[in-house]
Amino acid sequence: MDKQPYIINTHSHVNMLKDNDIDLAISNARKAGIITIVPSTTVEDIFEVDKFIQKYDDIYGYVGVFPEEVKDFTDKTLSDMETLIKNNKKIIGIGEVGLDYYWDKSFKELQKEVFIKQIEFANQMNLPLNIHSREAHLDTLEILKKYNKNSTAILHCYSGSLEFAKECIKEGIYIALGGVVTFKNALKAKEVAANIPLEYLLLETDDPYLAPVPYRGKENQPLYVTYVAQAIADLRNTTVDEIAKSTTANAERIFNFNAK
């Protein structure tokens, strides 16, 4: 990474695109100076993400198991993740991990147990955490405060209040925002985008989901992170360049890009 990227998209499932050609989507993002980080979600696709990110110069990855997939998690999963990390320097974090109480609350305790194991593993590997937290903000923060010793934590697709975001920032946790900030009625996301310190803000798309206006309802893709940056710039009465510069500096610091 010899030159400063325009934007670092800290969470993109570009490998899951169906309506758009994946190679073209990556090429379009590359031309705009966008670096993309792809998370895994299941015990199987840690291997798929590992292979996928090796195909492209400007794509990096996380390995981890998503909360809804933790029933398949075993100690072997951690062993597999460790092997992948040691053999692929482009795996730069643990994710997408966390808690999700929105769809199914029946295995909350198992979600917590596996979340803690993956936090401790991230600490062991000295890698950042990319965290999914849906309707589980208090438990997420409580677990991070208790178990996270040395890994920088990112709350991906943050959906909480400004007040809670400030509590997280006090713990050194970063807030990542995506296409929701462009939605007309997303008042909480807009308030967070407008008011949190820039030093704790990151950008993402979470594609193929949550496409920003003017593409809402269509398949999202990495390039559309520019619409997120523009929306946040407008909310903060500043420029896209300032948002890009600040969030890129934050991501480079978290992921130690300049040392690679």
Side-chain angles (χ1 to χ4, degrees):
M1 295 188 61
D2 298 323
K3 63 179 182 177
Q4 175 93 345
Y6 180 62
I7 287 176
I8 296 177
N9 180 351
T10 60
H11 193 111
S12 158
H13 302 277
V14 65
N15 56 321
M16 295 168 59
L17 295 189
K18 290 185 169 59
D19 298 340
N20 292 278
D21 179 87
I22 291 171
D23 287 336
L24 181 59
I26 289 171
S27 176
N28 289 338
R30 181 188 302 119
K31 289 172 185 172
I34 294 164
I35 302 294
T36 303
I37 313 177
V38 177
S40 69
T41 55
T42 70
V43 298
E44 292 89 10
D45 77 3
I46 59 172
F47 301 102
E48 292 166 23
V49 167
D50 172 60
K51 290 175 185 171
F52 182 80
I53 65 176
Q54 293 184 61
K55 291 166 55 180
Y56 305 95
D57 289 342
D58 47 356
I59 305 287
Y60 294 79
Y62 308 97
V63 288
V65 178
F66 183 74
E68 288 182 29
E69 302 290 338
V70 297
K71 291 174 184 175
D72 297 325
F73 186 95
T74 66
D75 288 340
K76 182 181 182 299
T77 309
L78 288 179
S79 175
D80 289 339
M81 286 161 60
E82 183 171 0
T83 299
L84 294 173
I85 290 163
K86 287 180 175 177
N87 292 326
N88 185 354
K89 298 303 181 188
K90 293 182 75 185
I91 296 172
I92 55 174
I94 305 304
E96 171 178 3
V97 304
L99 303 173
D100 191 316
Y101 301 162
Y102 181 76
W103 295 110
D104 187 348
K105 298 179 177 66
S106 67
F107 59 108
K108 285 167 65 172
E109 294 310 310
L110 180 60
Q111 285 193 37
K112 290 179 187 177
E113 179 186 322
V114 174
F115 184 30
I116 291 165
K117 284 183 178 180
Q118 293 187 96
I119 291 170
E120 292 173 340
F121 176 72
N123 290 175
Q124 178 190 337
M125 294 289 103
N126 197 29
L127 288 174
L129 284 154
N130 187 270
I131 297 166
H132 173 105
S133 178
R134 192 173 189 191
E135 297 200 357
H137 292 319
L138 290 174
D139 281 356
T140 300
L141 182 57
E142 183 180 311
I143 287 171
L144 284 169
K145 286 166 76 170
K146 185 172 181 180
Y147 294 97
N148 185 28
K149 307 304 180 190
N150 58 277
S151 293
T152 303
I154 301 163
L155 287 181
H156 129 74
C157 199
Y158 180 76
S159 59
S161 66
L162 174 60
E163 291 71 27
F164 191 74
K166 289 178 178 177
E167 289 301 307
C168 294
I169 287 167
K170 284 179 189 174
E171 299 298 322
I173 299 168
Y174 285 75
I175 305 296
L177 298 174
V180 173
V181 296
T182 69
F183 299 174
K184 184 178 179 182
N185 296 322
L187 301 182
K188 280 199 300 186
K190 291 179 186 292
E191 188 179 23
V192 170
N195 291 287
I196 65 168
L198 268 183
E199 308 88 76
Y200 282 92
L201 176 66
L202 296 167
L203 304 179
E204 64 165 75
T205 47
D206 199 22
D207 54 284
Y209 316 107
L210 300 172
V213 175
Y215 297 100
R216 189 174 182 184
K218 298 180 180 177
E219 188 173 70
N220 201 359
Q221 57 179 286
L223 179 64
Y224 297 167
V225 74
T226 55
Y227 292 94
V228 178
Q230 182 66 64
I232 294 173
D234 292 345
L235 288 162
R236 297 182 76 102
N237 295 311
T238 187
T239 64
V240 171
D241 282 350
E242 179 58 32
I243 298 302
K245 182 180 175 183
S246 297
T247 56
T248 292
N250 295 342
E252 286 190 328
R253 188 167 60 249
I254 294 166
F255 297 108
N256 201 21
F257 268 133
N258 286 333
K260 289 190 180 296

